[in-house]
Each structure stands twice: as C-alpha cells, then as structure tokens.
C-alpha cells in the first residue's frame, strides 16, 4: 500500500505554514514510544530547538538501558561494557523530559489518546511519535531455537552471546564452531565478533555474494577474500535449512540447502529486519504492504495526532534500515511540531562496513549501474585486496554511485558528490596513485550533504569553521553533530577544516590524520624511540585507536620499513605484515597501468647495461609480448605484464643479474648520469662511476616521497642534476651538491648546499641530507617543498647538514650505513618465497587466466592497449604480434613510411 492508498489520508490534517504563527506547545504532552537512537534524536532536537517551551516529553523504552548507539554495537566486545555505547545522557537532565526504561508499550487508545505500558501505566498524549524500530528476523528452519542460537541486534544479544561462548567452550574443553546465517553488514560484524572470541566461524549467505544489497558482484567477491584472509569461512549461494542438536540438546549441526553439513556449537542469525508495527496495527493505523506504519513526507500517519519515524515507518513503500533516514525523520517531526514545513525525502546515505578488523567496504548510489546508459569505471587488485568502482553518467561527468572494498578512503570524499559532476577523470580518481591527487583541490558545494547520518551539509560545516570558531574536528562535531554517528564523514570534515583554515590564514594542524595527532616527523621519532614493529603496536602506543586509514597506514609502513633498515629491526617493505598497509604499486612491486596490467622496470645504475643483459630484456619482452620503452630515468621499461606473470619475469631478470628498479615505491627511483670522463670530451669527473656507487648506496631507501638523483660530469649539465632531489655536478676541484630540485607538475631548481668537495665529503653530505629529510618531512612531501619550508631556509639547512651545528651528523650517517648494510633485493625475495609468490594471481578462481576484456593493437611495431572504438584488436600482445607477423602488409603507416625513407 502506498502512502496515497490508505484508508485515512496521510498528512491530510491542516499543517502550519512558515508564514503562520508557530503552534503553541505550552502544556502539550508529547509521547515517544521507543527508547532507541531515533527517540533520543527527537528528544535532543526538540530540547535544543525549543529551549523555552513548556511542553512535556515522555520517551518510553522497553530495554533497561538508556538509549545507546546501536550502529557501533560491535564495539561492546572491546570492553564488554554497554555503557561505552551510551548516547548523550544530558538530554534526560531537562525537567521537561521523562525517560521510561524497561517498560514496554503494549497498547494505544487513539480515541482516548493514551499509551499503556506493561506495568499498567497509562500515558496520555496530545502528540504521539512511534519510534519502535525493528526486530531481527530469522528464517523458518527446524531447530533454529535450540540452545546456542542468537540474534545480533541489542546489547542484551551480544551479552548473551559472549556468555554462551565462554561457558560452552569451557564445558566442551575446546574452541567452539560457529555459523553466522546472513552475510550482510551485521552478519559480518557478528562473524568478526565470534572470530575475536576464538570461534571457528563460517558465514552462510543465500545470495551469491556478501553484502548483496549494498555491493556489486566484484565488490562482494573482493569482500569474500578479505573475510577469508581474517580466517572466516564464507559459503555463498546456500541457505541453512535446519539445525539438529548435539548429544546434550544444544546446537550441534547445521544442515545447508546444498545437502552439506557443518558441525556447529553457536549460531547467529542476521538475515534481515522487520518493522515493529504491532502497536500501530492493533491501533488501526495504515500499514504498508511490506509492513511498517505508512507515513507521508511530514512523517504523519493516518491518524493526525500520531507520527512514525525510523525503521518502523514505511515511506514510499520502504522501511529504511539505516540511522540516517531515521534521524532525518526525527528532525522533520520536530520542525513540524514547531511550525515548520520541512519534509522527509528518500536519499542514498551509503553503507559502510564497521566492526570487522582489517576489512573495509563501503558503497553508495547505483552500485549495479541500472541507470540508463550508466558507465562503469573500475580498478581491481586481488593481491592487495582492493576493489574500486565508480558508476558515471554516459558522458563520464555525473557521479551515480561507487563501490569501495579493501580501501575506502575515497568513500567519504565521493559520497557527498552523488548526483553531481565529479570534476575529474573517474579513471584518475580511482587509480592507485591518482585518487588523492585527482580530488586534492576539490571543494564540495555548500548544499552537498557531508554527514548523511545527521543530514549536515558542507555549508553548515564551513559556517562552523568561519563564523563559529570551530577550529578542530572535535569542535565541529560538537557544534554541528556531523561525524558523531557512524564517523565515515570525518575524513571529509578534516579536509574541509584544513581548507577553510588555510583560506583564513590560520595555521593548519599537521596531524598525520584523524588516527594520529602527531606529524609524520613526530611519529617517526616516537616509533624510533619506542621500538614498535607493527602497525597495531604503533597505533596502540601513539594513535587514537581504530584500524587506520589510507593516509596513516602507508605512512606507518614507510616509517617501519625505514627504521627496520636503519636500526637493525629489519622490515621487508613488501612483507606479510607491512604489505597490506602500503600502496598497491609498492605492494606488488610494479606500477599498475591503465588496462590493469603492470610495468617491469629493472635497475640500471647510471643507465649502464651490458649487451648480454640487453638480450635478456629483449627476450623477456618478446616471450611475454611486452611493450618496451626507454624512460626519462635511463631505464628500460617493459609494459603489459599480467599480475601472475610478474614473478616469472622477475625470476628471469634476477637470474641475469638485474635487481628491482623501485619504480613503484616512495623510495629512490634512479641515479641518472651523463657519460662523464669515460667517453665525453667535456667531462671533468667520472660521473658514471659515482652515479653507480650512489645508486647502490641508496637503492630501496623508503622515504616520504620518491627520490631522484642525478650526476653531471661537467657544468654543461647533460644529466639535468639541478632538477633532481639530489643533484651532483662535477667541477675541476671536485663536486657541487644541489638539493631540493624536482620536475613534474611543480618544477623547482635545486639549491646549492656545498661546493667543490671531494667524493667522501659529498657522500657524507648526501647521507645526512636524505636521512634528515626522511626523519622530518611531512607525509608525501617532496624534497623541494621540504627545503623551501625548512626553518631558516637553505642557509640553516647547510649549517645542520654540512657544519653539523646540531651534532647529529654522525647519527644520520650511521642510520644510512645501516640501510646500506641491510639492503636485500625485493624481487629476489619475492620469487624465492613460495607463499608470497602464490598470491600473484589475477583471478583467484582461475589462476593463469587473462582478463577477457583486455584488447590490443599494433602501433609502430609494438602492442599497446586498444582505445575505445578501435577495430582489429587482439586478446593479448602475443596474438597481436603473431597476426602482424603473418600479415606483413598490415604494418602501420608510420613503419611503412620509415621503410620507404630508408
């Protein structure tokens, strides 16, 4: 039944307009049935918006606790204390508000306008608001009520669950076996809770993927991998048909719809919710076809004196199961009570998975691209367990939806842009190295919703910063309530705060992110002194809790990698513990390209390479059909390798004497050199030999950003040393050292640090400079910006590095020497580790298979990814080459012209 097909018209009673005087609530008795989050929201809003009113509000709750934060129910397991979930208790200090707990409302007498509770208390009302919420539905299955069966909905549920696991495992003398029926958000949280109690856990989901309502197929599959990585078993496409008892009558066996069985000691049902509408039904209110109290856009029911909000309300035939629409409904009702005309509108608030350690998933909008002419742009990295997809309008401008699994850093930035122009290339936004840069300067329009839970827009947050003096995220939360429910918008709030403070000329906090109050340099020092060796230890010792984010996780990984190398606490940057923290490119030791394949760029110190090694590169490229190109770093790049091919290619290169070129990492990329005195008639120093020595010294050095070094053999500067992070130029007396140069989008000339020094002094100065930069630079800060912003400028930097005025020179040199002594080639380690090597597969269910959507064409004699609309394409580079070889007349025009010219 729709909102317009009720027996009594919804919202038919006269409403006050904004031009009418506000209704007099003096002495009015307002009753809210439901002591949950929406009931608390209504009470808090009414109190705040009508501080001088003389009404009286009674909130009736059947649970013994005060209203609590059900969104973060899984947090109960961190301290086993329900009080940690309590919502603002100061609401109940208002003498106009009475909170009743532990007394269920049992009936409504509409004619008498009263509500009766289980205790027999009768509460008269002038206005009644139903906020009865929902109940956890479980399928009809034989044995589902056996001892050991639980829901996952209330504090009482989780308390009973924890008690059962403790007592039952003690009685059986072994860890329990658990099944969670339902693979939605709450089901996965329940599975994580069981796993945290050492229960061997299996998730059973009838749909073909996890979080089937929120995620698309690709996102669901990636989430499956993440859950399995946590040791949680996943069965999709099957249901639980019945349960049978163990010998003592408790839960013992789960029988599934595919005729398989699972031994089980505890079962948690999380198969959905149903609106709690019994009171409304028995009172004769209009009920929707799928249940729920029918309301219109003012949230008024078919009775003019009764409103319904939250999960018990059916609006446009749908009962929303999220807190955001419930909060909005509460705000609408308060506004209407006070004479406003605010209306409730269905809006996509997005969904974010919480309470599952090291597993992130979030989505919003049209995730399955069902909109007409919708365009899907996706990025998938199964090794790093990352899936990103944007759904765009057919012109690739308007954002229609998004799915993020494994790394949801972009979720908070992009969700407010739903239905708006993205303002950037969607491919660049979701690329591993592109998301931050592509959206770095983007500002949300004032009417864009930032906090969907509390319906707070960007303009409200800006006003809080600029007009109300809220200069911290905490102050913004307190002032606006944004970010106080699920917290997924906090990264966006943090970014907006920085933008507004910068505009006002106010110093912006240099905290690493919301999880760490310290700057990168401060955190580096703390970890160095504290000796922490894992991200978990670092955030426990120096952070604010949580699992970190896309900012702090790779930053901490870089710090741990560097410290491991320079202190003896050796950390492999792509090892099992740190690998999951770092950027995708760093993790798989290769840069991902536009078609999802990877580049392979071996190290060539100073650009030197022997003919024999050249032949190895040529043969590898030919065998795998790779595109070959010389890059600006004096390296030979091979492009088009599939993920599963990388270890094979590395192995052949390593056997030939090559090492990783680290073209993928925030580390030394290369040391470029001219010919110097070896061949050039103008050279005054041996630049090639020095460049080789420097590259071998600093290879693999993890740093805040990538580092490029160059050595020119004379003042003619053929190696372009002054445009590098570290530039060395030969003179007749020795070497000049320049620092802080860089090319790219914001070029900067290097600044002269020291001149005419011998090689020993030169290396000592470079050691000190690089190590000081690594210790003190901000996250993702290039040396150019760091040198520019160094207190006292280049002169002070010279005194610290060259003159050692702080007395830290020896320490910096020793740290660098530790790095040199501990270096191990990452490619060689990876190919010799069977467990790590086994992770390099594009499709976990079809190892060795290529992406069927990849297509290639021949251009200038080499295969490249086909552009949209191109014809005569081939499924692999090798197929393209084979076709070209068998059809010589189809060579492209460029090559024919070149041949004619010769």
């Amino acid at each position: 039944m729709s909102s317009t097909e009720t027996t009594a018209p919804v919202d038919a009673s006269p409403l006050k307009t904004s031009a009418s005087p506000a209704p007099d609530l003096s002495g009015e008795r307002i009753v809210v049935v439901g002591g949950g989050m929406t009931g608390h929201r209504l009470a808090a809003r009414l109190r705040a918006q009508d501080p001088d009113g003389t009404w009286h509000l009674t909130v009736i709750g059947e649970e013994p606790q005060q209203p609590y934060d059900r969104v973060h129910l899984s947090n109960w397991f961190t301290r086993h204390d329900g009080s940690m979930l309590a919502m603002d208790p100061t609401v109940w200090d208002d003498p106009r508000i009475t909170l009743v707990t532990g007394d269920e409302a049992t009936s409504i007498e509409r004619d008498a306008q009263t509500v009766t509770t289980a205790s027999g208390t009768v509460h008269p009302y002038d206005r009644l608001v139903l906020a009865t919420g929902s109940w956890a539905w479980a399928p009809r299955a034989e044995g589902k009520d056996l001892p050991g069966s639980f829901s996952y909905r209330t504090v009482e549920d989780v308390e009973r669950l924890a008690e059962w696991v403790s007592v039952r495992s003690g009685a059986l003398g072994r860890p329990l076996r658990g099944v969670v029926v339902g693979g939605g958000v709450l089901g996965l949280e329940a599975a994580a809770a069981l796993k945290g109690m050492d229960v061997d856990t299996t998730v059973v989901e009838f749909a073909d993927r996890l979080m089937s309502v929120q995620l698309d197929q690709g996102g669901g599959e990636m989430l499956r991998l993440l859950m399995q990585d946590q040791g949680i078993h996943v069965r999709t496409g099957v249901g639980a048909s019945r349960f049978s008892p163990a010998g003592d009558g408790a839960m013992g066996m789960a029988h599934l719809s595919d005729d398989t069985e699972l031994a089980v000691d505890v079962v948690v049902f999380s198969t959905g919710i149903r609106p709690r509408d019994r009171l409304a039904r028995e009172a004769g209110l209009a009920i929707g076809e799928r249940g729920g109290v029918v309301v219109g856009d003012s949230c008024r029911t078919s009775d003019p004196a009764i409103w319904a909000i939250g999960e018990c309300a059916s609006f446009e035939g749908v009962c929303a199961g999220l807190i955001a629409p419930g909060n909005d409904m509460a705000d609408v009702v308060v506004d209407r009570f006070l004479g406003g005309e605010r209306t409730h509108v269905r809006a996509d608030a997005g969904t974010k998975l919480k309470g599952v350690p090291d597993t992130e998933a979030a989505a919003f909008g049209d995730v399955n691209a069902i909109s007409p002419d919708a365009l899907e742009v996706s990025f998938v990295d199964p090794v790093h367990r990352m899936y990103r997809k944007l759904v765009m309008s057919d012109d690739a401008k308007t954002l229609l939806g998004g799915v993020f699994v494994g790394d949801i850093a972009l979720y908070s930035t992009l969700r407010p842009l739903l239905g708006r122009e993205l303002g950037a290339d969607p491919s660049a936004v979701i690329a591993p190295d592109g998301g931050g840069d592509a959206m770095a300067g983007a500002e949300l329009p004032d009417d864009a919703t930032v906090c969907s839970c509390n319906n707070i827009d960007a303009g409200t947050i800006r006003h809080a910063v600029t007009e109300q003096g809220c200069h911290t995220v905490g102050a913004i939360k307190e002032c606006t309530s944004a970010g106080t429910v699920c917290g997924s918008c906090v990264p966006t709030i943090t970014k907006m705060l920085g933008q507004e403070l910068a505009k006002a000329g106010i110093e912006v906090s240099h905290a690493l992110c919301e999880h760490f109050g310290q700057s990168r340099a401060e955190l580096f020092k703390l970890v160095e002194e504290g000796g922490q060796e894992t991200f978990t230890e670092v955030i426990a010792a120096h952070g604010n809790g949580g699992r970190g984010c896309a900012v702090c996780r790779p930053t901490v990984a870089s710090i741990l990698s560097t410290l491991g190398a320079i202190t003896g606490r050796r950390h492999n940057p792509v090892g099992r513990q740190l690998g999951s923290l770092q950027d995708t490119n760093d993790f798989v030791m290769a840069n991902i390209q536009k078609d999802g394949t990877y580049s392979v760029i071996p190290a060539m110190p100073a650009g030197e390479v022997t003919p024999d090694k050249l032949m190895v590169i040529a043969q590898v490229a030919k065998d795998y059909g790779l595109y070959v190109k010389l890059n600006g770093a004096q390296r030979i790049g091979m492009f088009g390798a599939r993920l599963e091919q990388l270890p094979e290619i590395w192995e052949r290169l390593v056997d030939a004497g090559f090492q990783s070129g680290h073209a993928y990492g925030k580390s030394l990329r290369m040391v470029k050199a001219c010919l110097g005195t070896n061949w050039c008639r103008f050279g005054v120093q041996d630049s090639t030999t020095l460049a080789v020595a420097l590259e071998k010294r600093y290879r693999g050095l993890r740093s805040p950003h990538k580092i490029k070094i160059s050595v020119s053999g004379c003042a003619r500067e053929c190696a372009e040393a002054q445009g590098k992070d570290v530039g060395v130029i030969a003179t007749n007396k020795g070497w000049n050292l320049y620092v802080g140069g860089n090319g790219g989008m914001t070029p900067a000339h290097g600044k002269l640090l020291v001149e005419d020094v011998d090689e020993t002094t030169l290396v000592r100065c470079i050691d000190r400079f690089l190590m000081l930069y690594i210790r003190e630079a901000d996250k993702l800060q290039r040396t150019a910006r760091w040198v520019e912003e160094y207190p006292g400028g280049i002169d002070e930097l010279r005194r610290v590095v060259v003159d050692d005025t702080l007395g830290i020179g020896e320490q910096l040199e020793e740290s660098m020497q530790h790095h040199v002594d501990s270096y191990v080639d990452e490619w060689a380690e990876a190919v010799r580790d069977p467990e790590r090597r086994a992770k390099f597969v594009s499709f976990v269910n079809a190892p060795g298979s290529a992406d069927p959507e990849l297509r290639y064409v021949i251009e200038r004699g080499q295969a490249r990814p086909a552009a949209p609309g191109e014809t005569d394409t081939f499924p692999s580079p090798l197929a393209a080459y084979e076709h070209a070889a068998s059809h010589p007349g189809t060579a492209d025009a460029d090559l024919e012209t070149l041949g004619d010219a010769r």
Side-chain angles (χ1 to χ4, degrees):
M1 181 180 294
S2 71
S3 60
T4 58
E5 297 173 337
T6 60
T7 55
V10 175
D11 295 329
S13 57
L15 298 175
K16 303 291 184 181
T17 67
S18 57
S20 304
D24 183 9
L25 292 179
S26 299
E28 284 218 3
R29 299 161 300 182
I30 305 171
V31 174
V32 175
V33 178
M37 296 180 72
T38 53
H40 180 279
R41 171 73 169 210
L42 187 142
R45 282 301 169 110
L46 184 58
R47 175 178 182 245
Q49 294 184 22
D50 192 21
D52 300 322
T54 57
W55 41 262
H56 187 271
L57 173 67
T58 301
V59 178
I60 303 172
E62 66 181 79
E63 292 189 68
Q65 303 93 346
Q66 291 187 1
Y68 57 88
D69 180 2
R70 202 185 305 274
V71 172
H72 293 96
L73 181 64
S74 294
N75 289 355
W76 182 89
F77 290 95
T78 61
R79 294 209 318 245
H80 287 224
D81 180 7
S83 64
M84 66 180 296
L85 299 173
M87 304 181 73
D88 181 13
T90 63
V91 172
W92 317 119
D93 295 338
D94 192 314
R96 301 171 297 174
I97 302 177
T98 299
L99 173 65
V100 177
T101 59
D103 195 12
E104 180 182 4
T106 56
S107 65
I108 299 171
E109 294 295 334
R110 290 169 54 194
D111 293 337
Q113 292 195 180
T114 61
V115 175
T116 304
T117 64
S119 66
T121 305
V122 176
H123 299 272
Y125 68 83
D126 297 301
R127 300 168 188 258
L128 174 63
V129 181
L130 299 179
T132 49
S134 60
W135 54 277
W137 174 81
R140 295 179 179 178
E142 179 186 342
K144 71 180 181 66
D145 296 322
L146 288 169
S149 173
F150 300 89
S151 297
Y152 196 83
R153 186 72 179 159
T154 67
V155 167
E156 184 182 6
D157 289 338
V158 296
E159 289 175 342
R160 291 175 52 246
L161 175 62
E163 181 182 9
W164 173 268
V165 170
S166 176
V167 172
R168 186 67 172 165
S169 60
L172 296 177
R174 59 169 173 78
L176 301 188
R177 301 157 300 192
V179 166
V180 176
V181 181
V185 173
L186 275 181
L188 298 183
E189 289 189 31
L194 287 178
K195 185 64 179 178
M197 293 186 285
D198 295 323
V199 176
D200 184 23
T201 305
T202 300
V203 175
V204 175
E205 168 56 49
F206 188 74
D208 62 351
R209 61 186 182 275
L210 298 176
M211 288 179 62
S212 59
V213 175
Q214 295 86 12
L215 302 182
D216 66 341
Q217 188 69 45
E221 282 302 307
M222 190 62 71
L223 183 56
R224 175 204 292 269
L225 296 179
L226 284 167
M227 296 299 292
Q228 291 176 166
D229 287 345
Q230 304 305 315
I232 296 173
H233 314 292
V234 177
R235 298 282 303 276
T236 55
V238 295
S241 55
R242 66 184 181 91
F243 300 90
S244 55
D248 59 359
M251 189 68 70
M253 189 72 69
H255 305 268
L256 305 185
S257 58
D258 62 353
D259 296 328
T260 60
E261 298 176 340
L262 293 173
V264 60
D265 307 296
V266 56
V267 175
V268 177
F269 287 97
S270 182
T271 49
I273 58 175
R274 298 292 186 269
R276 300 185 65 189
D277 55 17
R278 180 188 61 81
L279 275 178
R281 285 178 185 272
E282 293 178 353
L285 296 178
I287 303 298
E289 289 182 355
R290 299 181 180 180
V293 189
V294 174
V295 298
D297 58 11
S298 73
C299 299
R300 183 173 265 162
T301 70
S302 53
D303 184 324
I306 303 177
W307 287 256
I309 60 177
E311 294 171 344
C312 70
S314 175
F315 177 67
E316 295 182 348
V318 176
C319 294
L322 300 173
I323 188 58
N327 281 346
D328 186 65
M329 288 178 169
D331 295 349
V332 166
V333 170
V334 170
D335 182 72
R336 292 283 178 153
F337 282 4
L338 298 177
E341 290 190 317
R342 180 168 174 168
T343 58
H344 175 64
V345 178
R346 284 191 64 187
D348 185 287
T351 303
K352 179 182 176 183
L353 176 65
K354 301 167 292 296
V356 182
D358 299 318
T359 303
E360 295 184 311
F364 63 86
D366 182 10
V367 298
N368 290 304
I370 61 175
S371 302
D373 301 319
L375 171 69
E376 297 178 274
V377 183
S378 60
F379 164 77
V380 185
D381 180 3
V383 171
H384 198 220
R385 302 295 195 250
M386 184 187 297
Y387 179 88
R388 296 173 177 172
K389 184 177 87 170
L390 298 183
V391 180
M392 307 293 298
S393 57
D394 57 359
D395 59 2
K397 291 183 179 181
T398 303
L399 180 62
L400 303 180
V403 182
F404 306 92
V405 179
D407 177 2
I408 65 171
L410 288 171
Y411 169 75
S412 61
T413 299
L414 297 178
R415 184 191 50 74
L417 294 174
L418 179 64
R420 302 173 183 270
E421 287 202 6
L422 183 62
D425 178 359
S427 297
V429 170
I430 63 173
D433 285 338
D437 293 338
M439 301 298 293
E443 291 195 5
L444 296 174
D446 281 347
D447 62 343
T449 300
V450 173
C451 175
S452 58
C453 293
N454 289 316
N455 196 32
I456 308 299
D457 59 30
T460 301
I461 293 174
R462 289 195 179 98
H463 185 268
V465 177
T466 58
E467 303 299 328
Q468 297 175 276
C470 299
H471 292 174
T472 67
V473 172
I476 294 174
K477 286 182 175 181
E478 184 176 348
C479 179
T480 68
S481 77
T484 58
V485 182
C486 78
S488 64
C489 61
V490 170
T492 300
I493 296 172
T494 303
K495 177 182 175 181
M496 291 184 64
L497 172 63
Q499 290 173 336
E500 295 307 310
L501 291 179
K503 290 178 187 176
I506 300 173
E507 183 177 356
V508 180
S509 169
H510 293 290
L512 186 63
C513 66
E514 62 174 301
H515 300 100
F516 290 94
Q518 309 88 352
S519 67
R520 181 194 174 278
E522 292 166 340
L523 187 60
F524 189 104
K525 186 66 174 177
L526 289 172
V527 176
E528 182 179 31
E529 294 173 349
Q532 292 80 28
E533 298 191 1
T534 67
F535 180 86
T536 302
E537 292 174 357
V538 172
I539 200 167
H542 309 299
N544 304 321
R547 299 186 299 277
C549 62
V551 173
C552 64
R553 290 169 67 85
T555 301
V556 171
S558 176
I559 291 173
L560 291 174
S561 300
T562 304
L563 284 174
I566 68 177
T567 64
R569 303 197 307 265
R570 175 61 184 163
H571 285 281
N572 185 339
V574 289
R576 296 176 185 85
Q577 203 280 328
L578 296 185
S580 61
L581 303 177
Q582 294 192 294
D583 296 330
T584 303
N585 290 339
D586 215 340
F587 180 55
V588 301
M589 297 173 286
N591 279 331
I592 193 167
Q593 304 302 313
K594 62 183 290 185
D595 63 341
T597 61
Y598 293 83
S599 63
V600 177
I601 304 178
M604 288 183 183
E608 280 190 338
V609 62
T610 66
D612 286 341
K613 286 187 174 181
L614 267 180
M615 287 191 287
V616 170
I617 289 177
Q619 193 61 51
V620 166
K622 186 174 182 180
D623 290 348
Y624 290 90
L626 305 181
Y627 173 92
V628 180
K629 189 180 188 303
L630 301 181
N631 62 24
Q634 294 185 333
R635 301 289 183 271
I636 297 177
M638 294 172 280
F639 300 83
R642 300 198 308 271
L643 192 61
E644 68 274 11
Q645 294 174 333
L646 291 176
E648 303 170 4
I649 295 172
W650 294 337
E651 188 169 29
R652 291 176 60 172
L653 294 173
V654 168
D655 289 345
F658 286 106
Q659 293 186 347
S660 166
H662 297 100
Y664 44 80
K666 299 296 186 284
S667 58
L668 177 71
R669 289 293 177 89
M670 53 78 176
V671 180
K672 186 176 181 179
C674 64
L675 291 171
T677 54
N678 282 350
W679 291 92
C680 180
R681 58 196 176 99
F682 297 107
V684 295
Q685 300 287 354
D686 187 354
S687 57
T688 301
T689 298
L690 176 62
V692 170
L694 293 179
E695 179 150 345
K696 290 184 176 179
R697 184 169 185 80
Y698 304 123
R699 59 191 172 184
L701 180 66
R702 255 54 188 189
S703 57
H705 211 293
K706 60 188 176 185
I707 299 172
K708 297 181 179 181
I709 300 177
S710 187
V711 183
S712 287
C714 73
R716 295 168 69 91
E717 252 282 69
C718 293
E720 302 166 334
Q722 292 183 72
K724 301 295 186 289
D725 299 276
V726 173
V728 180
I729 301 177
T731 72
N732 290 323
K733 299 179 182 179
W735 303 95
N736 288 352
L737 175 60
Y738 292 80
V739 296
N742 83 246
M745 187 171 62
T746 310
H749 267 91
K751 295 176 172 60
L752 181 64
L753 187 68
V754 65
E755 57 185 333
D756 294 330
V757 295
D758 58 36
E759 189 171 307
T760 300
T761 304
L762 173 74
V763 172
R764 182 166 62 243
C765 289
I766 297 175
D767 282 357
R768 293 177 180 179
F769 170 77
L770 289 178
M771 195 52 63
L772 188 66
Y773 161 68
I774 288 170
R775 290 175 180 273
E776 296 189 357
D778 197 4
K779 58 185 182 294
L780 298 179
Q781 186 178 36
R782 293 292 299 267
T783 60
R785 307 289 85 79
W786 180 68
V787 170
E788 290 170 359
E789 298 170 10
Y790 194 85
I794 189 64
D795 292 334
E796 181 61 26
L797 186 61
R798 184 180 296 111
R799 283 189 284 271
V800 173
V801 172
V802 181
D803 302 333
D804 196 19
T805 54
L806 300 181
I808 60 174
E810 185 175 349
Q811 177 189 356
L812 297 174
E813 293 168 37
E814 288 178 354
S815 294
M816 186 62 76
Q817 191 59 48
H818 276 301
H819 160 75
V820 174
D821 295 339
S822 64
Y823 174 77
V824 178
D825 177 44
E826 295 170 6
W827 284 357
E829 281 191 316
V831 299
R832 292 165 186 162
D833 184 338
E835 182 177 346
R836 198 181 318 164
R837 185 167 180 164
K839 290 182 177 292
F840 285 80
V841 291
S842 295
F843 300 96
V844 294
N845 58 347
S849 299
D851 187 341
E853 295 185 2
L854 295 179
R855 306 298 296 180
Y856 296 87
V857 297
I858 293 292
E859 182 176 78
R860 293 185 294 278
Q862 294 202 84
R864 64 155 174 82
E870 286 190 306
T871 58
D872 298 326
T873 62
F874 301 90
S876 71
L878 289 176
Y881 286 128
E882 290 173 358
H883 178 83
S886 60
H887 298 77
T890 62
D892 61 74
D894 286 345
L895 293 179
E896 290 177 354
T897 302
L898 181 62
D900 293 341
R902 282 200 291 264

